[in-house]
Amino acid sequence: MRLVTFRKKRGDGGNNGRLGVIPAGGGEVVEISGSYLDAPKSMLDLIARDAEALRIIRMNMPHLPARYRLEDVQLLAPIPVPRRNIFCIGKNYRAHVNEVSFVDPAERKEDNVPAHPVVFTKATTAVIGPDAAIPSWLDDTDSTDYEGELAVIIGKEGRGIAAADAMAHVFGYTIINDVTARRLQKCHGQWFIGKSLDGFCPMGPCIVTADEIPDVTQLTLKTRVNHELRQNGSVGDLIFDIPTLIETLSRGMTLQPGDIIATGTPAGVGMGFDPHRFLQPGDQVEITIEPIGTLSNPVG
Ligand code: MG
């Protein structure tokens, strides 16, 4: 199922997001929130419920009256305000590790592939939805860069989750642009500030539930800037795969429903070019992972 959070383009000013489904045929959004007795009110509310909630949505959907044409709605980030920071994995594609090592002499080594997953977070206030402008003007170091990533949405709480059991904890998948102010990233020891400027976490356009992606390693990710292909990666090339990431994060820390794990970016970021090709106002960044779709954002 393709789940979205949306607002009507007209007359929906104060609404902070309706929960909807885009049916298989596309073209419209069927509203779930408020559509039947005890319907989930938001994406986080739905994710916190058990699988029965998805079954009820499937059963009710053909009969629900609130339907909007896609052109009449504004898609928001599927989880507009995450409960806690977005977990992110750094250096998780070999070719990306090499391009970063190549441009940063401090990191140049024979083999720079990390022995354990590199984990950092992005502030929840960085999240924006599809088509919202990335405010590059907040980066006074003029080094705003894109990182197309597959993101995993946790559905079932757990601590000490074994890799073999990890996929049962996955609710679904979305796309994240781990936008980064490169020079800020480097100058504070931790990457947190350079990764957390307002608007530096575009997310969407939807969450596809895990049952519709039986083998996530078959997915491919493409990032285009102004229609030029910059990143073309395969999720099968992750150094640390999704079960390993869930096992690692949950070893001593409880993962909660609605937690988001951005799995890392493949090669082709702007910093990997010589000279660097950072984002400029007026650029358009599009990240495509089918069947999730395309996350498109202009740079402001
Ligand atoms: Mg990243």
Side-chain angles (χ1 to χ4, degrees):
M1 218 161 12
R2 294 165 60 82
L3 298 161
V4 294
T5 299
F6 71 100
R7 244 195 308 240
K8 293 191 283 180
K9 278 187 180 164
R10 289 166 194 231
D12 223 2
N15 197 306
N16 54 10
R18 302 163 182 265
L19 174 64
V21 175
I22 299 178
E28 64 173 358
V29 177
V30 181
E31 183 167 5
I32 303 301
S33 42
S35 290
Y36 54 91
L37 195 65
D38 197 32
K41 294 174 187 63
S42 67
M43 191 72 77
L44 281 175
D45 182 15
L46 169 62
I47 293 169
R49 301 185 185 202
D50 57 18
E52 179 69 3
L54 281 177
R55 196 189 65 78
I56 292 171
I57 289 177
R58 264 192 205 96
M59 191 179 69
N60 284 342
M61 204 171 60
H63 316 294
L64 296 180
R67 294 170 179 270
Y68 305 94
R69 295 185 308 170
L70 265 182
E71 54 264 39
D72 293 334
V73 307
Q74 175 196 2
L75 294 185
L76 307 179
I79 303 177
V81 186
R83 286 219 178 90
R84 54 181 180 171
N85 284 9
I86 294 98
F87 301 126
C88 300
I89 309 303
K91 301 185 178 178
N92 205 17
Y93 286 87
R94 205 167 290 269
H96 173 62
V97 173
N98 289 337
E99 72 176 348
V100 177
S101 306
F102 171 72
V103 295
D104 187 347
E107 297 192 11
R108 203 171 294 163
K109 293 181 203 154
E110 277 291 294
D111 181 10
N112 211 19
V113 172
H116 304 280
V118 174
V119 183
F120 61 95
T121 73
K122 287 172 90 77
T124 60
T125 40
V127 173
I128 57 172
D131 302 317
I134 298 165
S136 69
W137 48 273
L138 289 176
D139 171 17
D140 58 12
T141 66
D142 293 326
S143 57
T144 305
D145 204 354
Y146 52 89
E147 295 190 355
E149 308 200 6
L150 175 74
V152 176
I153 312 296
I154 294 295
K156 198 168 90 182
E157 180 176 297
R159 191 178 66 199
I161 302 167
D165 304 324
M167 297 311 271
H169 289 257
V170 175
F171 176 83
Y173 302 93
T174 191
I175 301 170
I176 272 182
N177 188 347
D178 176 17
V179 181
T180 304
R182 290 292 177 206
R183 297 187 184 111
L184 269 182
Q185 177 189 6
K186 295 289 176 193
C187 72
H188 293 283
Q190 304 283 318
W191 299 353
F192 180 63
I193 293 180
K195 295 280 193 176
S196 291
L197 305 189
D198 287 357
F200 275 37
C201 190
M203 185 196 304
C206 66
I207 291 175
V208 173
T209 49
D211 58 302
E212 296 200 2
I213 302 180
D215 183 0
V216 71
T217 66
Q218 296 299 309
L219 302 188
T220 57
L221 180 156
K222 291 187 170 67
T223 302
R224 293 180 174 85
V225 178
N226 304 331
H227 306 297
E228 178 193 336
L229 185 64
R230 297 280 186 88
Q231 297 188 287
N232 186 2
S234 166
V235 174
D237 289 336
L238 285 176
I239 296 170
F240 300 103
D241 64 10
I242 291 166
T244 303
L245 297 177
I246 291 174
E247 180 178 81
T248 303
L249 283 165
S250 74
R251 192 162 291 145
M253 173 179 71
T254 302
L255 286 180
Q256 298 177 321
D259 279 346
I260 303 161
I261 305 169
T263 54
T265 201
V269 300
M271 186 176 63
F273 290 89
D274 184 16
H276 303 327
R277 300 178 74 181
F278 295 134
L279 295 172
Q280 305 297 328
D283 285 349
Q284 186 79 25
V285 188
E286 296 171 292
I287 304 165
T288 302
I289 305 176
E290 295 301 348
I292 304 166
T294 296
L295 172 64
S296 181
N297 295 88
V299 178

